[in-house]
Amino acid sequence: MYLKKLVFWMMVALLMMFTTAAFANSIIVNGDLEDLSPAFWYQHELGGTLSWDWTEAQHGSKSLKIDKPNTGGSATWMSADNANLYWNNFQGVFYSLSAWIKTDGVNTNPGNDDERIAVTFTFLDAGGNDIVPPVAMYADQSAGTMDWHEVTGDVLLTEEPAQVIIYLGMGEDATGTAWFDNVNVSSDPWTAGIFDNSMEEPNGWMSWASEGDVGFAEQVYDDDAYSGDYVAKLMEEDDLGDEMVFYSQPAPVAGYAWYLVSVMVRYDDVNTNDMYYPTYQVPENVQDRANLCFFYHTGNWWSDWALTGGDQFLYFDQRTETSDGWTMYWTISQAPPEATAFSMRARLNPTATGTVYYDNFSCVKLDKGDNLVENWNLETHSPFFFNPDELDGDLLWTNAEAHTGNLSAMVSKDGAGVASWLSDNQATTYWNNMDAVLYDLSAWMKTDGVNTDPGSEDEMIGVYFHFLDGGGGDIVPPVFLPADQSAATLDWNEVSDQVLLTEAPVECYIELVMNNGATGTIYFDDVNFGSDPWTAGSFGGDFETPTGWMHWASEGDVGMADVAWVGDLAYSGVYVAKLVEEDDLGDEMVFYSVPTPVQPDTYYLFQTMARTVDIGPLDNSLWPSSVMSENISDRANLCYFFHSGDIENGWNLTGGDQFVYLQQREATQSWTAYRGIAMAPADATGASLRARFNPTVTGEVWYDNLQIFEMTELFTGVEDSPFAVGQGPSTLPSGVVLSQNYPNPFNAQSSISFNIPAPGDVQLEIYDLLGRRIARLVDEHMAAGTHQVAINADELGMTASGVYFYRLNTQNGAMVRKMTFIK
Ligand SMILES: [Ca+2]
Ligand SMILES: [Ca+2]
Ligand SMILES: [Ca+2]
Ligand SMILES: [Ca+2]
């Protein structure tokens, strides 16, 4: 115990250096908030300059602007199709329509529609034909400059429209500047609204706040943005029970798939509580906590708003009112089987206060590899580091007798032949580093009906220590610690000896033997070797842990960490790792896996099932935690480490301890999954995980199915996707530019523009989510400069609504962007 403790003291906790790598493959559109185009509104006709204006507003702080100094050519903003968008469901009923317009220096007294400024609602059937004539509502052009004024109209629909599209426009002969804001539709009872009706939200995002809320949630310019210039800012000054949310549009996902969900966060002046640790994903809506919240959607995510699996909250560290700069919050989540889409949201629950900034919202699909932990379910019931060797008797790992702990190694035999256990090489295992020094050797043995007064070594029982050089030869003759055979049956007694090694051994083996002429039953326990100063100790000599596992507890600990047979109560099979602690005296205990090889800069999922019994201390705020580097004294946890260097003959840790704390809200909890995900540091060669009680935890926790999985970042649902290069960035250093298609999302028609800096061969292709090529739009030698290509979904055979990718291949590189087709 003492020796292992020393080693643990040497494990200095380093701050985890999380790699805040950009997640190039996030499915969240405009997750970094740098796209400065409004959500749900698209530039349609470009006879003027169209801009998203942040200086004029009838409602909120933004509006849509058209600058048109000249006649000739219309200028028009176009809305998304609002007919069945998300929760909308336009019906064949009466609708009141309205909008606000402001003008500056426009033409007056228009004689026809070409000279007018108008907001026009169109209602179409599935064939794209008007159900009723378009309803145009005209700006007041009685003077050249007019402040915000409302225009209104109404319409009685005779059937349910398949498309509802709104145009904000200046006719081809109109001139001047116009702003549009607050476009609304209403019916009684409610059937639908206009998305981003006040033009406040950026592409990909929506927001919501309780009525009467004095705070706000929006995209803002920020000098200290985590990426680029813009962040989402949520600000709440009162604790009046209002709530605010800034949320992404749903993005398609696959049921059962694993997703890495993350966001960067910083905050000021938030309400605090000493128990408000950062949490794991939890379903409970805690009223006064700031969070990242996420949802899964089911059904047709572009035309339904059906959620599944419940809200999941990642609560931030609210122990201090101001964050330590930008902090990454992340979790791993498996999509429910029925999931079709995912959305995430910046959220202040009703009574949270303060200002919280969010940036780099990300959701990345990961492929879950094979489990890497040996004996992860603890069902391989053999002692670690010792294996049956000679089999002319019965060898048993048994809890019938033990000198310490619960278990020992037994050998029983009633005839001729040799029966023995043999250890693995102990010379340089992990932290061991045996040297040319004096070693104390010892073992405890208990006998039952053995032969007495042996006449030769052949009739003896005992423990051999072998010390070998690099060639496999003995450095010194094997040292034999004979059992006391002066009586047939003797209780536990210790036998010891010493050996002076003349050179550092390359191999060291321990053999527990009943020789050929010996009979009866013997139990071995606490087989040890050691030196002063310390160089090495025995692995597995206490026979307490199964294959693949080790344990450790502070000296004098009254508790224990070991593998236990619990029968039907195990999560898998019949064995669990059981940690039991009765006092809160500052001792600590750990049951830990041997290191398994890992790759650097790769994500790993660490998980366990855990069941708690009378655990303490308790507090209603002690949710399961997010991954934390902080060692919290009174919490039970799943802990994990990365290793560097040689993981078989070294014990070098990198990246610091990482803890996922178990819930300590209720004393007893049935089997529950706990998970953390981490990226292996650049110098990582291995990883291990551990069931752990920090010093002052009390009670009992059973752990089972302790696993580590390699997680591979995926761009699409297939591994051999066509997107090997250029994912994400819209501009290559070479000067190749691939623009977002316009409009996007689109119904039938859209266009893609791109720029190439030099003449060359170019291909432009469309792929579906499964990586299948739908169309090759361009395959020719092209001149330098900007090119535009039209898309017609019908002609291309794009039959399913959803996300598609378009890929530009040039001699200077390739790049990919996403587009959304809404049928
Ligand atoms: Ca507005
Ligand atoms: Ca940003
Ligand atoms: Ca034992
Ligand atoms: Ca098990």
Side-chain angles (χ1 to χ4, degrees):
M1 286 300 173
Y2 170 70
L3 300 177
K4 289 182 184 175
K5 182 178 177 180
L6 260 185
V7 170
F8 267 74
W9 279 106
M10 293 188 290
M11 297 176 187
V12 178
L14 300 172
L15 274 180
M16 182 65 173
M17 290 165 288
F18 278 129
T19 307
T20 52
F23 300 124
N25 298 335
S26 173
I27 63 173
I28 300 297
V29 172
N30 192 19
D32 62 1
L33 304 164
E34 298 303 311
D35 179 354
L36 278 193
S37 54
F40 302 107
W41 294 95
Y42 310 105
Q43 296 185 5
H44 179 55
E45 294 176 305
L46 301 176
T49 302
L50 277 61
S51 60
W52 188 27
D53 191 89
W54 287 35
T55 63
E56 295 286 347
Q58 187 275 329
H59 182 268
S61 59
K62 307 175 183 98
S63 62
L64 296 184
K65 182 180 179 184
I66 299 176
D67 254 326
K68 190 166 177 295
N70 305 311
T71 59
S74 306
T76 313
W77 284 95
M78 180 181 120
S79 77
D81 175 8
N82 278 274
N84 294 293
L85 188 52
Y86 304 142
W87 48 80
N88 272 1
N89 189 13
F90 270 90
Q91 296 290 305
V93 299
F94 179 82
Y95 287 96
S96 296
L97 316 173
S98 64
W100 290 76
I101 305 174
K102 173 184 164 88
T103 56
D104 184 19
V106 300
N107 58 306
T108 55
N109 302 317
N112 57 49
D113 278 3
D114 287 343
E115 296 179 352
R116 288 196 171 95
I117 299 162
V119 173
T120 307
F121 279 75
T122 63
F123 303 92
L124 312 175
D125 63 19
N129 303 307
D130 288 322
I131 292 173
V132 294
V135 181
M137 306 182 299
Y138 298 113
D140 182 347
Q141 286 172 256
S142 60
T145 298
M146 299 283 287
D147 204 356
W148 287 108
H149 56 282
E150 189 175 26
V151 295
T152 60
D154 55 56
V155 64
L156 175 63
L157 298 186
T158 51
E159 61 180 283
E160 180 178 332
Q163 299 178 59
V164 174
I165 295 171
I166 302 149
Y167 298 91
L168 317 174
M170 295 180 71
E172 62 179 301
D173 296 328
T175 55
T177 302
W179 290 266
F180 302 86
D181 200 358
N182 215 13
V183 176
N184 282 312
V185 61
S186 66
S187 63
D188 187 12
W190 184 94
T191 58
I194 304 302
F195 277 83
D196 198 20
N197 71 299
S198 180
M199 295 87 173
E200 296 296 305
E201 311 310 340
N203 185 32
W205 293 91
M206 302 187 271
S207 74
W208 179 81
S210 306
E211 209 162 350
D213 199 313
V214 300
F216 63 90
E218 66 178 354
Q219 176 199 26
V220 299
Y221 174 83
D222 185 67
D223 278 340
D224 299 318
Y226 180 75
S227 66
D229 298 319
Y230 297 92
V231 301
K233 180 181 180 183
L234 273 63
M235 195 174 110
E236 177 59 86
E237 289 171 4
D238 67 62
D239 59 355
L240 297 178
D242 37 21
E243 179 173 317
M244 64 180 71
V245 188
F246 183 84
Y247 57 112
S248 78
Q249 294 174 31
V253 296
Y256 296 107
W258 289 85
Y259 292 89
L260 172 64
V261 178
S262 67
V263 69
M264 298 303 302
V265 173
R266 76 168 213 268
Y267 47 82
D268 293 315
D269 301 325
V270 298
N271 56 300
T272 61
N273 181 309
D274 287 346
M275 292 296 190
Y276 282 4
Y277 296 97
T279 71
Y280 187 64
Q281 60 215 47
V282 298
E284 187 167 304
N285 186 320
V286 182
Q287 293 289 295
D288 61 353
R289 296 198 69 172
N291 57 83
L292 173 74
C293 176
F294 59 90
F295 290 87
Y296 287 99
H297 298 246
T298 188
N300 295 331
W301 52 270
W302 57 91
S303 65
D304 299 341
W305 195 261
L307 302 176
T308 184
D311 306 21
Q312 297 294 326
F313 298 95
L314 226 62
Y315 292 111
F316 304 149
D317 190 342
Q318 273 174 257
R319 290 174 297 166
T320 57
E321 64 180 28
T322 299
S323 64
D324 183 16
W326 288 100
T327 304
M328 178 179 275
Y329 285 89
W330 56 352
T331 190
I332 180 95
S333 173
Q334 186 176 25
E338 68 280 13
T340 55
F342 170 92
S343 63
M344 59 198 297
R345 41 193 73 187
R347 181 163 167 170
L348 296 186
N349 282 359
T351 59
T353 57
T355 303
V356 186
Y357 302 89
Y358 297 76
D359 207 345
N360 287 35
F361 293 87
S362 175
C363 176
V364 174
K365 186 177 183 182
L366 299 178
D367 185 40
K368 185 158 163 264
D370 295 333
N371 166 58
L372 301 175
V373 176
E374 184 181 8
N375 195 17
W376 56 278
N377 59 7
L378 308 165
E379 298 304 311
T380 301
H381 194 67
S382 56
F384 200 25
F385 294 106
F386 281 83
N387 302 292
D389 189 36
E390 300 288 343
L391 300 174
D392 293 332
D394 295 326
L395 270 62
L396 208 60
W397 187 33
T398 179
N399 63 2
E401 298 289 346
H403 172 245
T404 57
N406 290 327
L407 294 150
S408 62
M410 186 205 83
V411 181
S412 184
K413 163 167 109 61
D414 56 14
V418 178
S420 65
W421 293 90
L422 180 67
S423 80
D424 295 338
N425 177 19
Q426 305 253 355
T428 57
T429 302
Y430 305 135
W431 49 79
N432 272 2
N433 192 13
M434 295 187 78
D435 208 349
V437 296
L438 181 73
Y439 282 95
D440 295 313
L441 313 175
S442 62
W444 287 78
M445 293 175 250
K446 174 184 166 84
T447 51
D448 185 9
V450 299
N451 58 305
T452 54
D453 301 322
S456 68
E457 196 167 319
D458 181 68
E459 294 177 355
M460 292 172 77
I461 304 165
V463 177
Y464 289 91
F465 287 83
H466 300 269
F467 305 95
L468 311 179
D469 61 23
D474 287 322
I475 292 172
V476 294
V479 181
F480 184 52
L481 272 51
D484 182 348
Q485 287 174 261
S486 61
T489 298
L490 283 171
D491 203 355
W492 287 108
N493 61 94
E494 187 179 25
V495 183
S496 61
D497 201 347
Q498 288 187 321
V499 61
L500 176 64
L501 300 186
T502 50
E503 61 180 286
V506 175
E507 296 173 75
C508 167
Y509 298 98
I510 305 168
E511 198 180 2
L512 319 174
V513 188
M514 288 186 79
N515 280 327
N516 183 53
T519 55
T521 298
I522 182 163
Y523 302 90
F524 297 92
D525 204 354
D526 295 318
V527 181
N528 286 317
F529 61 88
S531 61
D532 186 11
W534 184 91
T535 58
S538 80
F539 280 92
D542 64 357
F543 303 100
E544 293 300 305
T545 56
T547 298
W549 294 90
M550 301 186 271
H551 77 123
W552 178 81
S554 306
E555 209 162 350
D557 199 315
V558 300
M560 59 191 308
D562 67 1
V563 65
W565 186 93
V566 295
D568 286 349
L569 293 175
Y571 181 76
S572 65
V574 293
Y575 293 98
V576 301
K578 194 172 173 182
L579 273 61
V580 183
E581 177 58 87
E582 290 169 10
D583 65 64
D584 60 356
L585 295 179
D587 35 22
E588 180 174 319
M589 63 178 78
V590 188
F591 183 87
Y592 58 110
S593 72
V594 301
T596 184
V598 299
Q599 304 298 317
D601 299 321
T602 303
Y603 292 111
Y604 289 90
L605 168 63
F606 299 82
Q607 72 174 27
T608 189
M609 298 301 300
R611 173 181 185 271
T612 59
V613 182
D614 294 329
I615 194 173
L618 298 178
D619 187 284
N620 193 45
S621 296
L622 293 179
W623 287 98
S625 82
S626 72
V627 177
M628 296 175 69
S629 55
E630 196 176 333
N631 186 319
I632 301 169
S633 181
D634 60 0
R635 296 195 70 174
N637 57 81
L638 169 71
C639 175
Y640 52 89
F641 290 87
F642 287 104
H643 299 244
S644 63
D646 180 347
I647 60 169
E648 291 180 1
N649 298 297
W651 196 261
N652 301 303
L653 302 177
T654 180
D657 306 24
Q658 296 299 320
F659 300 93
V660 173
Y661 291 106
L662 275 50
Q663 74 85 18
Q664 284 177 222
R665 308 179 76 228
E666 290 130 12
T668 297
Q669 185 181 35
S670 57
W671 287 108
T672 303
Y674 289 89
R675 298 189 179 98
I677 187 161
M679 180 180 272
D683 59 342
T685 54
S688 61
L689 49 62
R690 42 193 72 186
R692 179 162 169 175
F693 274 13
N694 284 1
T696 59
V697 178
T698 60
E700 194 169 303
V701 181
W702 302 5
Y703 295 81
D704 206 347
N705 290 31
L706 296 126
Q707 293 164 287
I708 302 174
F709 299 94
E710 180 178 323
M711 307 298 284
T712 311
E713 196 172 337
L714 289 179
F715 188 49
T716 67
V718 289
E719 288 187 46
D720 57 340
S721 82
F723 312 114
V725 294
Q727 299 166 3
S730 58
T731 307
L732 288 175
S734 62
V736 176
V737 175
L738 179 64
S739 299
Q740 185 66 53
N741 65 303
Y742 220 90
N744 183 55
F746 67 106
N747 172 240
Q749 295 176 17
S750 187
S751 71
I752 297 169
S753 65
F754 58 88
N755 183 276
I756 52 174
D761 292 330
V762 174
Q763 291 91 37
L764 181 64
E765 299 165 330
I766 297 181
Y767 292 85
D768 69 9
L769 265 181
L770 296 176
R772 295 176 299 213
R773 193 171 75 204
I774 302 294
R776 178 170 279 179
L777 301 171
V778 173
D779 184 14
E780 60 189 271
H781 189 87
M782 298 186 93
T786 300
H787 303 272
Q788 191 162 28
V789 178
I791 306 172
N792 183 312
D794 294 336
E795 290 175 5
L796 297 178
M798 293 168 66
T799 52
S801 291
V803 169
Y804 290 81
F805 303 93
Y806 54 99
R807 173 184 167 112
L808 180 70
N809 301 313
T810 77
Q811 287 157 329
N812 295 311
M815 66 185 65
V816 177
R817 297 199 76 152
K818 289 179 218 178
M819 60 186 178
T820 303
F821 171 54
I822 299 175
K823 205 174 176 193

